[in-house]
Amino acid sequence: MEQDIAKRILRWYRKEGRDLPWRRISDPYAIWVSEIMLQQTQVATVIPYYERFMAAFPTVTDLAHAPLGTVLKVWEGLGYYARARNLHRAAKMILERHQGTIPGEIMALTSLPGIGRSTAGAIVSIAYGKKAPILDGNVRRVLCRLFAIRKNPSLTPVQKKLWGLSEGLVPGKDPRSFNQALMDLGASICTPNDPDCPACCLKPFCLAYQKGIQKSLPIKSPGKKIPHYHVAVGVIWKGKKVLITQRPLEGLLGGLWEFPGGKLKEGETPAIAVAREIREELKITVSVGDLADIVRHAYSHFRITLHAFHCRYRDGAPRTLNPYRWVSPGELERFAFPAANRKIIAALK
DNA sequence: AATGCGGGGTT
DNA sequence: AACCCAGCATT
């Protein structure tokens, strides 16, 4: 049974599998980089970032020796910036602990920052050809349908069940192709909304298809309301230079640079808020001028409307918790900014 | 067990 | 507007 499933998927994969940049090489470092980028991020989005990253940091040694700011700049726009910070930190650890070789064991891999059970399974199987299961969004969906699992797959006992199923399916022979095939099947046939069951090689085994419930699986968690904030920021000019500040290394958008500002308080106008935030955060005074841009931006767990004002520096030396810089507009390209701030920068030109 | 963490594509 | 994506870390 399991062997039949594996055989069918592998046969399908040989004909219909995707040709992706990281499948053309066997360098474990490249596989690792691709797997980190692919966490919660679609293949099409990752491809150009992967190419640029590998050109900038061809080896784990290059990555470990690069300044974090350079790594974040290459990562800029990809999101989930802790991935970049963890990748950089793990590269240093791999030089020290593993003499520059990406580990080939699950335990050694999961002890590195940014590598969990699924990414470790992917690296071990894809880079080293060892038998290990994976469980990403694609595989979870395929398994929920194949075995008609009608419980929310985010529940711990259901996750445990899914890991067991994934482990039971992965064959000793060519686990590398099998895991990639399972993901490809989820991405191209067993899609979230409208799976192409007639074209699926697992149709004869799929319990959800037999019951006609494939479109209602997997069960999804109830969506939660996301708040909407108004934020005011200042593009503070002193001559031909503007002030930027760096966010703390941990937390949201950690390590990225931005125009200073903050959330509006109840009953406050954006112009009042930006003056207050700059006074509080930087201990300087500015005069607030024209509106530079209004940006709407969606994060995963909240939305913001960003009001950006041209400001003129008046008085005081900045005293901030975090680093700040006065830079020319041209120099803004050298720093990593959140996407919402990039929209403001685009509007300045 | 629940939550924080980006950005873009799709529907 | 809601959902999804080659998930992980933290609490």
Side-chain angles (χ1 to χ4, degrees), chain A residues 104-132:
Chain A
E105 298 80 36
I106 298 282
M107 290 292 287
L109 284 166
T110 51
S111 75
L112 293 169
I115 301 181
R117 185 172 177 185
S118 191
T119 299
I123 294 172
V124 160
S125 61
I126 296 171
Y128 292 102
K130 295 182 183 173
K131 178 176 166 175

Side-chain angles (χ1 to χ4, degrees), chain A residues 81-250:
Chain A
Y81 298 93
R83 293 184 295 175
R85 301 194 303 272
N86 287 335
L87 198 56
H88 186 238
R89 191 151 61 92
K92 292 176 180 293
M93 294 168 67
I94 288 169
L95 284 199
E96 293 174 8
R97 290 191 197 169
H98 305 284
Q99 293 72 50
T101 302
I102 314 300
E105 298 80 36
I106 298 282
M107 290 292 287
L109 284 166
T110 51
S111 75
L112 293 169
I115 301 181
R117 185 172 177 185
S118 191
T119 299
I123 294 172
V124 160
S125 61
I126 296 171
Y128 292 102
K130 295 182 183 173
K131 178 176 166 175
I134 59 172
L135 188 62
D136 64 356
N138 286 315
V139 175
R140 183 174 64 236
R141 185 171 56 256
V142 170
L143 295 179
C144 280
R145 287 173 175 161
L146 190 55
F147 297 97
I149 294 174
R150 276 168 280 200
K151 293 178 180 171
N152 187 334
S154 61
L155 300 175
T156 301
V158 183
Q159 283 205 2
K160 201 171 156 68
K161 169 76 174 170
L162 291 168
W163 272 109
L165 292 170
S166 183
E167 181 156 30
L169 285 179
V170 58
K173 186 177 173 181
D174 204 359
R176 175 194 336 247
S177 296
F178 176 83
N179 281 339
Q180 297 186 109
L182 212 48
M183 292 188 281
D184 278 18
L185 194 71
S188 54
I189 303 286
C190 197
T191 53
N193 293 322
D194 191 20
D196 188 8
C197 299
C200 184
C201 60
L202 299 186
K203 177 175 48 177
F205 299 95
C206 184
L207 296 182
Y209 178 64
Q210 288 168 21
K211 298 170 191 287
I213 59 173
Q214 66 273 21
K215 291 186 76 166
S216 65
L217 295 180
I219 302 291
K220 48 191 145 192
S221 311
K224 37 184 195 294
K225 294 193 181 92
I226 55 178
H228 188 143
Y229 304 118
H230 283 266
V231 174
V233 303
V235 181
I236 306 170
W237 294 90
K238 184 167 77 173
K240 293 182 185 302
K241 296 200 169 181
V242 299
L243 186 62
I244 59 174
T245 57
Q246 189 179 28
R247 297 179 62 89
L249 279 180
E250 61 282 354

